[in-house]
Amino acid sequence: MSDSDKERLLREEGVLLMKNVIADDALVSVKDQYDHLDISLERTDIVKDRPVIVFWRHVMGSTKRLAHFDEFPALWQLITNCIVPTLRQSFPERTKRLQLLETIIFNKPPEISNTLNWHQDVAYFPLKPNNQIAVWIPFEMVTAERGAMVYAVGSHKLGPRGSTNLHTREKFENEDRDLIPDDPTTIGLEVRCMEMTPNDMLVHDGYTWHYSGPNLIKGYTRRGLSVRFVTEPAAFDPRPGQGAAFTRQIDIQPGDILDGAPFPLL
Ligand SMILES: O=C(O)CCC(=O)C(=O)O
């Protein structure tokens, strides 16, 4: 597929699955360092002087933990030496400006993990304009039974939607925007399950609706790395219902352009 086709498909469908763009050995030290940190990481306090990596287990009641890149250098290398160059090469128009917004590793332990319900990333982000792209890479093969990502193709064109509790779908207090329907096929959207290997990379628009089901396979872990980038200067625009961890790192006044050490330009 040519780079202009990739750019066009991302613009038209709001999501693109790129096959075989991650080298076999690219994730080896990332997974090693993740496993090492995961054993002892307890930090939950947010810092405002550097970006954080959110460790998020998809189990009801579990607390998000926070790592720093100086203790997870392989992940910084992956973002700067692999993810950013791949994005820039594939989507030159869309990625002229890439500002790191947040980095999350989603972990679905076997059998006890739950569904992360339909959502739109930008619903949780207090920015205006609210234009981002996100990358998602699995650490293991993912299938429908192993918590693969599922997208409503073209949903990014339907504008902002309300934010809900991702585990229960309960609407947040003061949320007055329309919600994503329970089943986007009822409004004519195609729903596509993205089965992937760790050589593949998903790219989605911040407005595209998506969810992931539970990991049902006994003895099988399922981790997914998500890195989100702001693609144009964006002002801080707080509103109720926007609960992403990085919002507590913002140290500017409403109306000011997002910047600062947690949000470097790459
Ligand atoms: O890894 C997952 O299951 C969820 C990821 C996700 O929803 C996201 O990256 O926005």
Side-chain angles (χ1 to χ4, degrees), residues 58 106 108 116 119 121 136 149 210 212 222 226 228:
H58 284 189
F106 295 92
K108 288 181 183 282
L116 198 78
H119 63 281
D121 294 344
W136 192 89
M149 299 284 284
H210 54 283
S212 62
R222 181 290 210 181
S226 173
R228 290 100 190 263

Side-chain angles (χ1 to χ4, degrees), residues 36 61 63 71 182 248 254:
H36 183 75
T63 307
E71 57 201 1
D182 291 341
R248 290 179 283 132

Side-chain angles (χ1 to χ4, degrees), residues 56-61 107-109 111-117 147 166-168 212-215:
W56 183 345
R57 285 178 94 232
H58 284 189
V59 178
M60 194 79 97
N107 179 353
K108 288 181 183 282
E111 302 181 285
I112 54 167
S113 61
N114 52 18
T115 297
L116 198 78
N117 281 298
L166 290 170
H167 293 297
T168 63
S212 62
N215 168 19

Side-chain angles (χ1 to χ4, degrees), residues 221-238:
T221 16
R222 181 290 210 181
R223 281 87 45 97
L225 164 70
S226 173
V227 189
R228 290 100 190 263
F229 303 92
V230 184
T231 53
E232 62 183 297
F236 179 37
D237 181 34

